[in-house]
Every structure is written in structure tokens, then in C-alpha cells.
Amino acid sequence: SRPILDMSYSRHFLDFQGSSIPSSMKKLVVTKLSQNFREAVTLQRDSPVPLPGDGDLLVRNRFVGINASDINYSAGRYDASVKPPFDVGFEGVGEVVALGLSASADYTVGQAVAYVKAGSFAEYTVVPARQAVPLPSVKPEFLTLMVSGATAYLSLKELGDLSEGEKVLVTAAAGGTGQFAVQLAKKAKCHVIGTCSSDEKGGFLKSIGCDRTINYKTENVESVLRKDYPEGVDVVYESVGGKMFDLALNALAIKGRLIVIGFIAGYQNPTGLQPIKADLLPAKLLKKSASVRGFFLNHYLSDYKMALQHLLKMYERGDLVCEVDFGDMSPDGKFTGLESVFRAVDYMYMGKNIGKIVVELPHSVSSKL
């Protein structure tokens, strides 16, 4: 049966500037499960542009976000039942160019929206209207909040139990989610320590309020923590895994909380995980009445819209820096077009980015937004 579409206005089937929506598009598709993104993913150049159903929006993507977990998804680590081919990419910002009848109650053609949904690495994506987030304009800064900002906000709120004056260690602090963990911990009046891989990143971290930066390429993280924080740190926001996890665990204070939001050091490995010294974990936790807690955004979707609205208001008030990295400093320049998603993923795994990596998808029709 065909989906019910709003036939009352022909503009619902037109680009809002009057040029028709093409019948085919480019998109990235996982054609083989592999932790090597370039091996797993294929750029398809003539995929049909999908039709929105009754409650759906057709979004023309203008900016898409790169996440460390794109590799986990293309390696098949999240859901073993999903077999290739399947679409990839988790988040996008763009304009509504067509919509179904029910969706037209709340949205119009030309409206700026953001969304979190598998399949954003495409020129057009169908998004259920109830999952879309209306935006005042199409800006890449809004994209930083969708997964990265929400992950930092909800994990610290639900699991961090932050109190004024506590010491918070953020690993990979200059990255997409790290930048928000630093700022939100500072808003909670905590003392924030951030690890990073360059002096340039350290400078960025200081500019957003980080009290102590540790460049792990030139400083020994373990020695710095032992010397400067002999009593330990109260909360760790940990996204690296492997040896960094072990360091963070050993650095916990009495009643310390270690929040695991990822383990990027292991994502490109065939096994997926770098070993940690877990055999002593029970004894270490008991000795300090400490805890290790995992956070996966999908399990907190009931609070997601609340978190996003809060972050959007903070950004609009000027209370939140949303740093975007378009790859201008990467060897082949700015990440433009779906072809550059492969470079953007490589760039992230080389640890080069400051802030959230975003790819721009240019369109031949210039946008009014």
C-alpha cells in the first residue's frame, strides 16, 4: 500500500526554491562488516531519493556529524542481527523539502531541522516528524549538540552526581563530546582536568574553562595526577579505554565515579577492545567505595528532548561553546561532500580534531536559510 502524502499543495513535492527534488542521490552504505570504515562502506551514486510517509519529513542534509561510533556501527558491533547492506551516519541538520500529510501539521517545507537517526550520510534522509528537532536556522553548531552535547549532558547529570568543588577528569577533552563535558563540569563549579594530544588543543581547553590540561604526548598523565591530585579525582568522563581507563581508575578518589562513554582506542581493532587490568577491578572499587558506570545515549532517549532543549537554550544565550571542526587543517582540506566522510573518519582516529567533526554537503541550489 502506498503511503498517504499531502497532495493539496504541489510545493510539498518541490524544493522550496522551486527546483524539483531529484529522483536519485548519493549515499553511504555499509556493504561489508569491518572495523575498517573504508573497507566497510561504499559510496552509492544513484540511490533513489526516498518518499516520506504520512508522518515523515524528507530532509535535504546540509551538515552531517562524524562520531567515533560510526566505526562500531559499520563493523556490526551494535546489532548482530543487522546484515549489510544498511545505511550509515547518525545525525544531520538540513531543510525539510517534502513531507507527509500528518507531518504537515507541525512542519513546513523550508523549515530547518536536526535529527538523530541512522542513515544521515546521504543527500536526503526520511525522518519521522516526531523524531525531528525544529531549529531557528541551519547551522553546524546545532549538530554538535545532537549526539555529543546530549551524551555529555545526560551522562554527567544522571551518573556524575557532580557537586561544587569536586575534581573532574575528562579524557580526550578537546574532542566532540569532551568539549561539552569540560564546560558542563565547569558550570557545576567543579575543578576540571582535561587530557589532550597537543598544545593547540590545550589552548582551546583553557579557552573554555579547563583548569588543568595534560598533553599526554609531552607529560606523563599518571605522574601529573599523582603529584597534583594526591587525594584523587571525584569523577572521570572516560572515552578512550585501554591504558587511559586503567590510569583513570587508579586516579579515583574515595567514592569516585568513573563514567565510560566510549573506548575509542579499541574501535579500529579487529577485537574491538584493548585489554584493561580488570582482574584487580573489584579490589580497587571496594578499597575506595568507587564505581564504574557505562553510558549509552540510546538508553536515555526518554530524557533526550529535555536535554537538547536545555543545551540549545544555553548555546543561544552564549553560555556554551560549540566548536566545529570542518577539517580545514587536514591534508586535503575542508570536509565537503559525502566523499569526504572517509577522510573525516580517518582524521578523527588520528586524533587531529578540535571539537566536533562536521562534513558539509553542498547543494547546487543555494539555500534561503
Side-chain angles (χ1 to χ4, degrees):
S1 63
R2 294 187 53 162
I4 302 165
L5 296 174
D6 183 357
M7 300 295 288
S8 57
Y9 299 100
S10 61
R11 71 187 180 91
H12 283 278
F13 297 95
L14 297 175
D15 177 281
F16 60 90
Q17 285 201 322
S19 66
S20 61
I21 297 162
S23 57
S24 64
M25 66 171 185
K26 293 179 190 171
K27 72 172 179 176
L28 295 186
V29 177
V30 176
T31 50
K32 171 189 170 188
L33 297 182
S34 171
Q35 74 283 348
N36 181 327
F37 191 80
R38 287 179 180 271
E39 279 184 14
V41 177
T42 303
L43 174 64
Q44 295 188 349
R45 296 179 180 276
D46 56 354
S47 295
V49 171
L51 270 177
D54 178 52
D56 295 334
L57 312 173
L58 180 65
V59 177
R60 184 174 69 182
N61 294 313
R62 291 273 306 286
F63 301 101
V64 293
I66 304 295
N67 293 283
S69 47
D70 289 327
I71 278 188
N72 283 340
Y73 195 59
S74 62
R77 289 181 182 138
Y78 284 155
D79 187 349
S81 68
V82 178
K83 304 296 180 201
F86 55 87
D87 297 346
V88 68
F90 290 129
E91 54 187 342
V93 166
E95 303 108 351
V96 175
V97 292
L99 68 171
L101 181 58
S102 299
S104 67
D106 299 306
Y107 289 91
T108 59
V109 167
Q111 190 161 354
V113 293
Y115 64 89
V116 174
K117 177 183 178 287
S120 71
F121 292 165
E123 291 178 314
Y124 295 85
T125 303
V126 168
V127 179
R130 58 188 166 73
Q131 289 180 21
V133 178
L135 297 174
S137 62
V138 174
K139 284 173 73 171
E141 286 78 9
F142 293 128
L143 194 56
T144 68
L145 302 174
M146 299 302 293
V147 171
S148 300
T151 294
Y153 176 80
L154 285 169
S155 63
L156 289 174
K157 180 176 179 288
E158 299 295 327
L159 308 179
D161 197 21
L162 300 182
S163 299
E164 184 175 343
E166 286 194 313
K167 293 179 274 296
V168 178
L169 170 65
V170 180
T171 64
T177 71
Q179 64 170 330
F180 294 112
V182 168
Q183 293 178 80
L184 294 168
K186 282 305 295 178
K187 300 275 180 216
K189 299 183 177 175
C190 296
H191 175 94
V192 182
I193 310 127
T195 70
C196 62
S197 59
S198 71
D199 291 340
E200 187 190 1
K201 290 184 179 187
F204 165 67
L205 289 173
K206 284 175 182 157
S207 77
I208 58 171
C210 196
D211 297 289
R212 173 69 159 97
T213 61
I214 307 174
N215 178 349
Y216 62 80
K217 295 280 179 76
T218 57
E219 296 180 273
N220 182 298
V221 178
E222 191 173 17
S223 301
V224 170
L225 291 173
R226 198 181 294 128
K227 175 175 165 287
D228 293 358
Y229 305 95
E231 307 251 304
V233 295
D234 302 291
V235 175
V236 182
Y237 181 89
E238 217 295 273
S239 61
V240 177
K243 290 176 182 171
M244 188 62 81
F245 175 90
D246 289 329
L247 285 178
L249 179 68
N250 291 338
L252 283 178
I254 302 294
K255 297 184 182 176
R257 289 88 69 197
L258 193 160
I259 305 168
V260 176
I261 65 109
F263 36 93
I264 191 170
Y267 292 176
Q268 284 187 311
N269 293 348
T271 56
L273 276 170
Q274 285 199 335
I276 57 167
K277 295 172 182 166
D279 49 345
L280 297 174
L281 186 63
K284 286 179 179 178
L285 295 178
L286 177 67
K287 186 178 169 186
K288 296 178 176 178
S289 293
S291 64
V292 176
R293 305 188 69 177
F295 178 89
F296 189 46
L297 185 59
N298 289 12
H299 299 147
Y300 290 84
L301 293 182
S302 58
D303 298 317
Y304 178 76
K305 285 220 167 177
M306 170 277 297
L308 206 54
Q309 295 305 330
H310 180 78
L311 291 167
L312 283 166
K313 282 178 189 159
M314 284 181 73
Y315 172 67
E316 285 165 1
R317 286 198 309 262
D319 289 342
L320 202 60
V321 172
C322 298
E323 188 70 15
V324 173
D325 191 332
F326 277 120
D328 295 287
M329 307 307 290
S330 68
D332 293 313
K334 185 175 175 179
F335 303 133
T336 305
L338 286 171
E339 298 87 347
S340 68
V341 167
F342 298 98
R343 284 200 299 119
V345 170
D346 289 344
Y347 180 74
M348 175 174 48
Y349 278 91
M350 287 188 286
K352 301 293 188 187
N353 58 299
I354 295 180
K356 173 84 178 183
I357 302 175
V358 173
V359 174
E360 183 172 7
L361 305 185
H363 291 274
S364 54
V365 180
S366 62
S367 168
K368 285 179 179 171
L369 297 178

